[in-house]
Amino acid sequence: MKFYHELVPVILSVSVALVPHQIANALPAVEVAKIAKSITVLIDNKDVFGSGVIIKQEGNTYTVLTAQHVVSNPSQYEIVTPDNQHYSLNYNTVKKLPAVDLAVVQFTSNQTYAVAKIGNSDDSIEGTTAYVSGFPRATAAINNKIYTFVDGLITANAAKPLKDGYALVYSNNTLPGMSGGPLLNENGELIGIHGRGDEADIEVSQINSTVAYVKSGFNLGIPINTFLRLSANIGIDVGVRPPNTPVATVAKADDFYIQGGDKYKKGDMKGSVADYTQAIRINFKYVDAYNNRGVALANLNDHKGAIEDYNQALNINPRYGNAYNNRGVARANLGDKKAAIEDFNQAIQINPNDANAYYNRGIARSDLGDKKGAIEDYNQAIKINPIDADTYTVRGVARADLGDKRGAIEDYNQALKINPNLALAYNNRGLARSNFGDKKGAIEDYNQALKINSNLALVYNNRGLARGDLGDKTGAIEDYNQALKIDPNLALAYNNRGVSRYQSGDKNGAIADFNQALKINPHSADVYNNRGLARSDLGDKKEAIEDYNQALKINFNYADAYYNRGITYYQLKNKQAAIADLEKAASLYIEQGKIDFYQETMQLIKRFQQ
């Protein structure tokens, strides 16, 4: 008798970006890059590190402005200058500004280093160019802290800052470790300090076919004018006075925009939608607010509403690449993969270096069965961004689907090298190891995934399968119980628990589980096949045949159902029907390359013909 177990790999869903990526420069970007590199320093110690910017020289003493959280703990820090010289930082000289996430530190050197030119952050309005520089943290894949310079656009400059003084919002693709680095305008002037960004993917609590890794694109900085107004409190004078900006008495669109992004980051999607709506009421052409409201609506599963917002953003700016990307995400979630691919194509045409759009198009192609096309897109995304663990993970799934299990494991290994806390990659590598017959290695991976996130129902399901294959039926059932505790509608866990109960001799318990699985998913040929086996063993041959018939109605080429129905017909003394079913099963096994099953079936046919 042939049972069907369900192993579930994880396909990451398309990622969403909140902000546009266009460039309009006064100085050529390469000139701003030179300025940024000359003034940006690494602030390093054994536990925490970040970036900073040189804002003053007085004799041999240099003053560096950074984010306060970079130097929040008393410790031994080093300042690493652009010429790779290391200078010790005397923590007693650290000065923290009141009520904002800013601090200044000092180092001494007889070398000459460039000092940042202070700009006017009030002039940095929506749509103006911005640059961020700093030192992203090292990973297992890249073990050095490599200086990075990224461009983007200002998307908001709020009059009413968020907590800790954050008021500037920008689209730059920042990374962990860049906190404290300079935010420069198109003239290479310092207009803010970068402090918070879209620096980590957010894993949802469940793994299933629509698991999402969402990128918010909400980067925050503290305006340099804020520093200038507070610097006298810590006795720092950089020779520049802040402008006499009138105190805002009425909230402007940017104020609601930044609040909407802050609520989005905190998971308050309804509050985020409300704030973006207020921003749009004040400025009905606020393209970023339409785009971002669409993302928040999508997180509320209102994909049609999201598409309306993306359409509006594209009406205002037909070259808004991320709105095409995000509309493609919404269309994919509504099942229209072909239209989604058209949107991703458009996003890539606008920005050929949009790794997200390649990633998303790869997901859509994979969903349409084009695994090779998907891999081509993942390859391109990795070429653009070689340290994105998610892309290695989904490429591993596509390789596994094409039978390249070793290549899949290599990709999962690389993903985990970049992000050792990626539960999805552990789950998927466990599946690949299980398919190689390494059940113990698979269980180790499932254990690690559950150590990272103990609320993953499908990982319990997969570990249950591996335990069952090793003969631990009790442990398998415990895992299925846990999976169903987390997700009571997980039909495949009912199916798999039913198989374990059947194999443990509990045929009635098995049927109860198969019934529950079919109640949740009445279109599963596999569960009908399994229930037919249990019914047959309990003597309900006619009901068993009805189940096999139903399985074959759903899947006419289901070899196992023909095989099992053939045996049941033989038990009912209907030799002719039994042999016909077994011959059909044998032909399907040959087509599917299941030689062992074919040979077993042919032996049965010969026996039945005697």
Side-chain angles (χ1 to χ4, degrees):
M1 295 295 184
K2 302 188 185 302
F3 275 104
Y4 179 83
H5 289 81
E6 294 181 78
L7 279 167
V8 184
V10 177
I11 303 291
L12 303 183
S13 79
V14 287
S15 60
V16 177
L18 274 178
V19 289
H21 188 77
Q22 303 173 7
I23 304 173
N25 303 323
L27 282 179
V30 65
E31 294 301 321
V32 180
K34 291 178 182 177
I35 294 170
K37 192 168 187 177
S38 70
I39 60 177
T40 305
V41 299
L42 168 67
I43 301 175
D44 197 8
N45 81 355
K46 62 179 181 178
D47 298 317
V48 181
F49 73 92
S51 305
V53 55
I54 301 173
I55 59 169
K56 182 179 180 180
Q57 177 191 9
E58 191 171 10
N60 289 341
T61 300
Y62 288 90
T63 299
V64 172
L65 180 60
T66 186
Q68 189 176 137
H69 69 263
V70 172
V71 291
S72 59
N73 297 321
S75 183
Q76 290 184 342
Y77 293 85
E78 277 190 334
I79 302 291
V80 183
T81 49
D83 58 353
N84 202 35
Q85 297 298 307
H86 294 241
Y87 300 97
S88 62
L89 184 157
N90 182 353
Y91 198 82
N92 292 329
T93 67
V94 173
K95 296 180 179 180
K96 300 176 182 179
L97 278 77
V100 296
D101 189 14
L102 290 175
V104 294
V105 301
Q106 293 181 333
F107 69 95
T108 58
S109 172
N110 57 11
Q111 300 295 315
T112 300
Y113 297 109
V115 175
K117 181 180 179 181
I118 306 296
N120 181 3
S121 53
D122 290 348
D123 293 338
S124 299
I125 60 174
E126 177 197 353
T128 56
T129 303
Y131 302 93
V132 178
S133 61
F135 292 84
R137 72 181 179 196
T139 68
I142 300 177
N143 55 19
N144 294 319
K145 302 178 182 75
I146 299 174
Y147 170 81
T148 299
F149 174 80
V150 290
D151 55 30
L153 292 178
I154 298 292
T155 53
N157 189 345
K160 297 179 180 179
L162 299 174
K163 182 182 178 182
D164 297 328
Y166 288 101
L168 288 170
V169 189
Y170 37 94
S171 66
N172 310 56
N173 186 24
T174 62
L175 294 166
M178 296 179 75
S179 291
L183 176 66
L184 305 177
N185 64 14
E186 65 271 21
N187 295 314
E189 298 169 333
L190 181 65
I191 56 170
I193 296 298
H194 171 66
R196 297 176 186 168
D198 183 26
E199 298 173 344
D201 291 331
I202 303 169
E203 184 179 354
V204 296
S205 62
Q206 277 292 338
I207 295 178
N208 54 42
S209 60
T210 58
V211 153
Y213 275 75
V214 182
K215 295 185 176 181
S216 72
F218 194 69
N219 300 277
L220 294 171
I222 300 173
I224 195 64
N225 289 351
T226 299
F227 166 75
L228 295 175
R229 293 186 181 101
L230 296 173
S231 59
N233 293 331
I234 58 171
I236 296 294
D237 183 1
V238 294
V240 178
R241 296 289 174 265
N244 293 320
T245 305
V247 177
T249 57
V250 178
K252 61 179 185 175
D254 283 7
D255 295 319
F256 288 107
Y257 179 88
I258 195 172
Q259 290 290 341
D262 189 51
K263 288 176 182 176
Y264 173 88
K265 292 286 279 185
K266 293 175 179 176
D268 179 9
M269 298 303 158
K270 290 183 179 180
S272 178
V273 168
D275 280 333
Y276 286 134
T277 300
Q278 283 292 97
I280 291 166
R281 284 176 181 168
I282 297 170
N283 177 5
F284 70 94
K285 290 190 176 182
Y286 205 151
V287 62
D288 298 316
Y290 283 110
N291 179 68
N292 293 9
R293 188 174 69 177
V295 174
L297 288 171
N299 275 271
L300 291 169
N301 291 319
D302 182 7
H303 299 295
K304 290 183 179 179
I307 288 173
E308 291 177 3
D309 271 344
Y310 302 141
N311 289 344
Q312 188 62 35
L314 289 167
N315 286 337
I316 298 169
N317 180 6
R319 298 288 297 171
Y320 195 166
N322 278 355
Y324 281 109
N325 175 76
N326 294 348
R327 190 173 70 179
V329 171
R331 285 175 164 175
N333 284 327
L334 289 173
D336 192 353
K337 311 293 183 182
K338 291 183 179 179
I341 288 173
E342 291 175 4
D343 274 339
F344 300 139
N345 290 344
Q346 190 66 31
I348 290 168
Q349 184 179 1
I350 293 169
N351 180 8
N353 291 315
D354 188 346
N356 276 350
Y358 284 107
Y359 171 94
N360 294 345
R361 191 173 70 179
I363 294 291
R365 284 178 165 176
S366 180
D367 288 344
L368 290 174
D370 182 10
K371 306 299 180 181
K372 290 183 179 179
I375 289 173
E376 290 175 2
D377 275 338
Y378 301 146
N379 290 344
Q380 187 63 30
I382 288 170
K383 184 177 179 181
I384 296 168
N385 182 8
I387 58 171
D388 184 17
D390 294 346
T391 310
Y392 286 103
T393 301
V394 292
R395 190 175 71 176
V397 172
R399 284 179 165 177
D401 287 341
L402 289 175
D404 182 10
K405 294 181 176 59
R406 294 191 186 279
I409 289 177
E410 289 176 3
D411 272 341
Y412 301 142
N413 289 343
Q414 185 63 24
L416 291 168
K417 193 175 181 183
I418 296 168
N419 182 3
N421 292 314
L422 190 54
L424 304 180
Y426 280 110
N427 175 76
N428 292 359
R429 191 174 70 180
L431 292 176
R433 285 179 166 176
S434 183
N435 288 330
F436 269 123
D438 182 11
K439 307 299 180 181
K440 291 183 178 179
I443 289 173
E444 290 176 3
D445 274 339
Y446 299 142
N447 290 344
Q448 189 62 34
L450 292 169
K451 184 178 179 181
I452 295 168
N453 186 345
S454 61
N455 199 39
L456 301 173
L458 287 182
V459 180
Y460 282 107
N461 173 80
N462 293 346
R463 190 175 70 177
L465 288 169
R467 284 179 165 176
D469 288 341
L470 290 174
D472 182 9
K473 305 302 179 187
T474 301
I477 290 173
E478 288 175 358
D479 273 341
Y480 300 138
N481 290 342
Q482 186 63 30
L484 291 167
K485 184 177 179 181
I486 296 169
D487 184 0
N489 292 313
L490 189 57
L492 61 92
Y494 282 110
N495 173 73
N496 293 344
R497 189 174 70 178
V499 171
S500 290
R501 284 179 166 175
Y502 176 94
Q503 293 170 339
S504 299
D506 182 9
K507 305 295 194 297
N508 288 319
I511 289 175
D513 273 342
F514 297 143
N515 289 343
Q516 189 62 32
L518 289 170
K519 184 177 180 181
I520 297 167
N521 179 13
H523 303 293
S524 174
D526 303 316
V527 183
Y528 281 109
N529 173 72
N530 293 350
R531 190 174 69 177
L533 287 170
R535 283 178 163 176
S536 179
D537 283 357
L538 287 174
D540 296 333
K541 305 297 182 184
K542 291 183 179 180
E543 290 84 355
I545 287 176
E546 289 178 6
D547 275 340
Y548 300 139
N549 290 343
Q550 189 62 33
L552 291 168
K553 185 178 179 181
I554 296 168
N555 179 5
F556 184 72
N557 292 316
Y558 196 161
D560 289 352
Y562 283 111
Y563 179 97
N564 293 336
R565 190 175 70 176
I567 290 176
T568 306
Y569 274 136
Y570 184 80
Q571 292 168 342
L572 290 171
K573 312 300 183 185
N574 189 343
K575 259 175 121 175
Q576 185 176 356
I579 291 171
D581 270 349
L582 291 175
E583 287 176 343
K584 178 65 175 178
S587 67
L588 289 170
Y589 286 142
I590 278 290
E591 290 177 11
Q592 296 164 7
K594 298 178 179 179
I595 304 303
D596 291 343
F597 288 175
Y598 167 77
Q599 292 173 345
E600 175 189 335
T601 307
M602 291 306 296
Q603 289 174 1
L604 273 179
I605 292 171
K606 289 179 182 178
R607 199 177 90 195
F608 288 176
Q609 287 174 335
Q610 293 175 355

